[in-house]
Every structure is written in C-alpha cells, then in structure tokens.
Amino acid sequence: MGGQPLYLAPRLESRLRSLLGSPDLLHTLTDALGSPLHVVVPDQLADNLQQFRSVYGIHHLSGQVFYAHKANRSSALLRRLAATDAGVDVASLGELQHALGAGFTPDRITATGPKNPEFLWLAARTSVTVSLDTRGELEQLATLVRKHALPRTRVLLRLSGFEASGVRVLSRRSRFGTDVRESDPLLESVERYGDVLDLVGVAYHLDTTSLAEKATALEGCLRVLEECRSRGLRPRAVDIGGGFGVNYLADGGQWERYTTGLTQAVLGTRPPLTYGGHGYGLRNEAGTLRGTLGLYPAHRPVAGARYLDELLAHPAASLGGSPLAALLLDHLYDLHTEPGRALLDQCGLTVTKVLEVRDHGTGGPLLVRLAAKADDVALEDHGVLMDPVVVPRDGDGSGVPRDGDEARTAAEPVGVHLFGSLCLESDLITRRTVFLPRRPAPGDLLAFANTAGYCMDFHATRAQHQPAARKVAAWQEGDTWRWCLDDQYWPTTPVGGAQ
Ligand SMILES: Cc1ncc(COP(=O)(O)O)c(C=O)c1O
C-alpha cells in the first residue's frame, strides 16, 4: 500500500453526517439521476448566516451579509437565502437576474466584479448597489445613468494596494479595485457625478488567509472614509468582501502528518504519496526541499464567522490601536461582508459511483475509476485535500462489510488513485494517493463532503459529451430526508416552508 495510511477525514457536521449515513437515499438518487450528483442542503446556509449575524451582534455592528453567489449556481441555496434577511453579491448579469428572480429585492443586492454594459444597466435600472472597480467604470456607469435617465445609483468604491504604516506592503496585489493611492482622482469623479451617483462607502476583497493583510486593508478603508467626509461626502459603509475560509478537515493531527509525509515523499525518504510523484509545489533539488506548498490550509480552526470575529477584534495599529470593530462603531459605519465559501460550509456534497477497481499487480495503489470528471469534484482545483467517504452498495453506511466479499471482510485499508471518466491522462479526481479504510467495489459510491463552495459547478464542463452533474436540494423533516431537483426548490417546498 506504500507505508502507513495517511487519512484526511472530512469535518462533518450533523446534516452531512446524517446524509452520509443514509446510503439507501444516496444510492437511490444516483441510480435515478446519475453519477456524479451534487446534493445541496439549503437549511445549513441559513444556519451559517446566523453565525455571521451573531458576530455582528457581539461587536454591536450593523450592516449586511451578502452571499457571494459565484461560489455556487444553485437556485435552491439562493432561494433559501432569499427567505432570510441576507443580501447577495452578484458578479454577472446572469447572477443578477437569478437573484432578482429568487426574490431578492434590489436593496439586498450588490453588484461586484468585472461588468459589461448590460449588467451595469440592469443594476442601475433596478437600483442595486454597484461596487466600482475603476474610475473608468465609474464614468461608464454615470454616463449610462444620465443617458437612460436611470435612478441615482448607490455606489461603493473598491480599493486595493493597501500599505501598512512603514515601508512593507502588506496587502496582496489585485487586478481588481483602484489603488488606494489613486483614491483622490476617484473621489473627484464621485463629486463630479454627484447628481447621478450616491457614494455609500468603500470596499475591498483580498484573496488571502492573512488576518494582518485584511486588517491593513480595513484600516486603509477607514482612512479613505475620513477623506470622503472631509470633502463633504456622506459615506456610511465599508464592505470587506469575502475570504473567511472553511475548516475542511476533522483532525489537525492528520493534516500535520500528511504534510510532513508529503515532504518526506518529495525528498524520497518514504514511498510516494501522489500519482507520478507530484509535489503540490514542493520539489527535491539534490536532496534539498524547495518550492512552497500550494495547498489550501484544509485544517483551519479559525475560519468562517470566527475569522470575522478575530478580524474585528484586531487592533488598528495605525489608528490608535483600538479594535477595528470599535472604530467602525465609533463612526456608525455599517459593515458589509461578502462570504462565499464560508457561508457554504457544510452545505452540500458530491456523490460519485465507482465504475472500476483495478489492481495493476505492482503492489502500488489501486486504480479506481469514477463516473465523474475531475471538474465535477473540483476540490483539487482549489488545493483542498480531503478523503471521500465510501458508501457501499449494499452496506448500511457504517462500514459494515457485505457477506461473502473477501476483500471487504478483511476490511484492510487500501491506497487508491482516483481517476475520472474522461479519455485524458490528466483526468485525475486528485493527484494524491487516497487511503480508504477498505477496498471499494464497482457500484459503491464515493461521497466528497463539503463541495458546495466552488467545487460543484464553477469548473464544470460537458467535455466528451459527458453530462455535468445534476443537482438536488435535500432537507430534513423530522428524521426523514426529503429532496427535489435543485430548480424545483422554493422556500415553500419543505412542509411548513423555510423559517
Ligand atoms: C468581490 C468578491 N467578494 C466575495 C468573494 C467571495 O470570496 P470567498 O468565497 O472566499 O468568501 C469573492 C471571490 O472571488 C469576490 O471576488
């Protein structure tokens, strides 16, 4: 098998644990709707929203939580959220139409990201708030509003390139947003177009796990808001984007052991842990480890709402050292957030059927082919390493072997390489050697937990005329799981409707 098994067990909260403990349901669904199949759990999204809301409560802050729609195309998730008081961040014309159609009123929608004229027009026409990336975009919107006699449009100015006091640039470069050092000309444009644009505040989104970088950006935004006020503008909000992260793994020790093992495997001091000796960014140069590990930190105890809490408690070093939350409160600024991945934590899983299990006689990992393409389970694209859960065809979901199945009766752990169904060498579900508690068999399911954030449909293709995964929404009525096709779900669907 290639050394001791190195498991990376997924973190499973009660809903996903219960679904995975319902093998008959998962097999019935895949028998009927095919493999791969995405299952989303809309009620979990509402619970996650409450966790963010409670952090606002702890810090006495007002403002909106805007779900970053780009993380999942699901209608069920969006409609479930429309039944709460949350907002939605839309990043395309299609997402805006989807949000309006799901029941979000324009005051609960913010438009971000690269925009075409149609997207800008519909946003302005419906009085959605627009987060502007550049002065050019601001002028384009202002011209459009004037030309089409649209309502005065609420705007946020998205900024980037923040620096900590001193010399070291702390915040990540971004191709989005205006460099904070260019904010003066931007504010001049806001003043020039004051008849058609209403400045709500400033925004940033940083693709980093670093709290310090985000704190620097938030301090930078607070300084720009002061500048706005000194010009007589009346900003009232700061939008700190998304990037609160997810804790994918159940056990930090497993993560430590795996990353240590990977390092040793790259250095050749233990058997390989990947297909073809892939190093996830690490390499062996004449016995010295080089490169950086290009993986998501899959065990992240401080993620999601907890991460927001820590950010808000972080002292604003350049603004007198008070916690960032206290500064927001002092100025009565609303705090807006745009969590995508974090709001979708535990909101779904992807089920795939095992088509073939091949032993190629070398004693190495088994070759397991799944009825899914790598892009249907895009955990690897996001650098997330996490074991699938085996759901046996005739088992009870508890790992109990079937009668007469020798390999199963032995229940020996096995190392496997998981391949997709494309006729392409690179179609690997993961390049990692995955350890399973026992040998899977054709007809079993491998379920990948926690795939709702970006891993379901962000990368999905119909390559080789193979279908993209279908999607169902599932909810619990007492002890029973109920389900419907994703696009059939409305908050009235579950008995009694969503609360
Ligand atoms: C502007 C903006 N807001 C929010 C998000 C959501 O980020 P996350 O899913 O990491 O929370 C993104 C992601 O790309 C983004 O670009």
Side-chain angles (χ1 to χ4, degrees):
M1 187 182 56
Q4 283 298 306
L6 287 174
Y7 294 115
L8 290 174
R11 194 186 113 247
L12 298 172
E13 301 292 336
S14 61
R15 286 192 179 90
L16 291 193
R17 186 174 292 284
S18 165
L19 260 182
L20 288 166
S22 312
D24 289 347
L25 172 67
L26 297 179
H27 279 281
T28 303
L29 285 174
T30 41
D31 287 347
L33 299 168
S35 163
L37 181 75
H38 299 309
V39 184
V40 295
V41 187
D43 290 336
Q44 183 66 41
L45 185 54
D47 287 357
N48 294 350
L49 170 69
Q50 282 318 315
Q51 291 185 18
F52 272 83
R53 285 264 183 254
S54 67
V55 172
Y56 277 65
I58 290 167
H59 295 278
H60 311 289
L61 292 172
S62 54
Q64 183 57 288
V65 180
F66 293 93
Y67 159 58
H69 184 3
K70 60 175 74 74
N72 199 304
R73 286 172 60 92
S74 164
S75 294
L77 292 171
L78 196 67
R79 291 171 188 163
R80 179 64 185 86
L81 208 63
T84 70
D85 58 359
V88 59
D89 149 26
V90 294
S92 71
L93 176 67
E95 286 186 2
L96 173 56
Q97 291 172 299
H98 196 201
L100 290 167
F104 283 91
T105 47
D107 56 313
R108 294 168 60 195
I109 305 178
T110 182
T112 63
K115 303 170 201 73
N116 58 19
E118 299 79 12
F119 183 22
L120 276 178
W121 180 86
L122 187 60
R125 175 63 274 166
T126 52
S127 297
V128 158
T129 301
V130 181
S131 183
L132 294 167
D133 264 317
T134 60
R135 192 144 65 107
E137 195 173 70
L138 184 151
E139 285 167 3
Q140 191 188 1
L141 176 64
T143 309
L144 198 99
V145 172
R146 277 190 185 153
K147 183 171 169 203
H148 297 273
L150 298 172
R152 188 164 177 247
T153 303
R154 285 190 296 272
V155 295
L156 290 158
L157 304 176
R158 179 165 165 183
L159 304 172
S160 60
F162 301 95
E163 287 180 16
S165 44
V167 277
R168 205 154 63 94
V169 176
L170 258 184
S171 95
R172 202 145 304 227
R173 290 184 86 76
S174 168
R175 73 184 174 92
F176 299 108
T178 302
D179 192 298
V180 69
R181 284 160 296 196
E182 304 291 315
S183 53
D184 275 350
L186 197 60
L187 295 179
E188 281 157 23
S189 294
V190 167
E191 289 167 338
R192 189 161 345 117
Y193 294 105
D195 58 324
V196 281
L197 302 182
D198 170 20
L199 181 72
V200 174
V202 295
Y204 72 85
H205 166 77
L206 286 182
D207 191 11
T208 174
T209 54
S210 159
L211 261 178
E213 278 184 65
K214 291 197 176 160
T216 298
L218 184 43
E219 285 176 50
C221 283
L222 289 169
R223 278 196 293 274
V224 175
L225 288 175
E226 275 314 293
E227 170 62 20
C228 293
R229 285 151 70 111
S230 70
R231 286 171 177 263
L233 297 163
R234 290 281 160 266
R236 45 207 179 271
V238 53
D239 184 328
I240 63 171
F244 303 97
V246 162
N247 181 19
Y248 285 98
L249 297 181
D251 181 344
Q254 287 186 347
W255 175 244
E256 289 301 320
R257 284 191 288 282
Y258 178 77
T259 46
T260 305
L262 181 66
T263 306
Q264 292 164 345
V266 169
L267 285 173
T269 59
R270 66 158 288 156
L273 280 174
T274 54
Y275 185 75
H278 182 69
Y280 288 110
L282 300 177
R283 57 184 193 280
N284 179 354
E285 278 184 17
T288 305
L289 191 71
R290 299 260 189 241
T292 35
L293 191 62
L295 288 174
Y296 191 87
H299 188 259
R300 272 187 80 172
V302 179
R306 266 191 78 187
Y307 185 99
L308 175 63
D309 187 26
E310 293 215 353
L311 177 62
L312 292 172
H314 198 279
S318 70
L319 297 170
S322 299
L324 285 160
L327 294 177
L328 290 164
L329 194 60
D330 284 352
H331 292 92
L332 299 178
Y333 290 138
D334 284 343
L335 175 76
H336 297 330
T337 50
E338 298 168 359
R341 187 187 297 269
L343 266 192
L344 292 177
D345 185 23
Q346 301 287 316
C347 285
L349 48 83
T350 301
V351 191
T352 63
K353 189 166 282 189
V354 175
L355 290 179
E356 180 190 5
V357 180
R358 191 149 45 104
D359 191 337
H360 55 140
T362 58
L366 301 170
L367 307 185
V368 174
R369 184 161 56 91
L370 301 178
K373 302 180 261 48
D375 55 47
D376 293 312
V377 194
L379 287 162
E380 182 95 355
D381 273 305
H382 289 263
V384 177
L385 300 187
M386 184 169 49
D387 294 342
V389 176
V390 185
V391 183
R393 175 92 213 162
D394 301 321
D396 61 1
S398 63
V400 180
R402 295 183 299 194
D403 286 345
D405 185 333
E406 256 177 55
R408 286 165 179 281
T409 310
E412 287 283 324
V414 288
V416 301
H417 283 143
L418 299 176
F419 293 92
S421 54
L422 288 182
C423 184
L424 198 67
E425 291 287 359
S426 61
D427 193 35
L428 274 94
I429 304 290
T430 170
R431 288 167 289 195
R432 182 173 64 101
T433 307
V434 172
F435 296 94
L436 299 175
R438 61 180 172 188
R439 182 187 176 107
D444 288 350
L445 299 175
L446 293 192
F448 296 83
N450 221 349
T451 50
Y454 297 103
C455 296
M456 288 189 171
D457 39 39
F458 205 87
H459 303 267
T461 67
R462 292 178 194 274
Q464 272 185 231
H465 277 254
Q466 299 216 27
R470 296 172 92 169
K471 198 178 273 170
V472 298
W475 66 94
Q476 284 166 302
E477 280 173 23
D479 291 340
T480 310
W481 278 100
R482 315 288 298 225
W483 66 274
C484 66
L485 291 174
D486 180 75
D487 60 6
Q488 300 292 315
Y489 178 99
W490 284 93
T492 51
T493 310
V495 171
Q499 299 298 305

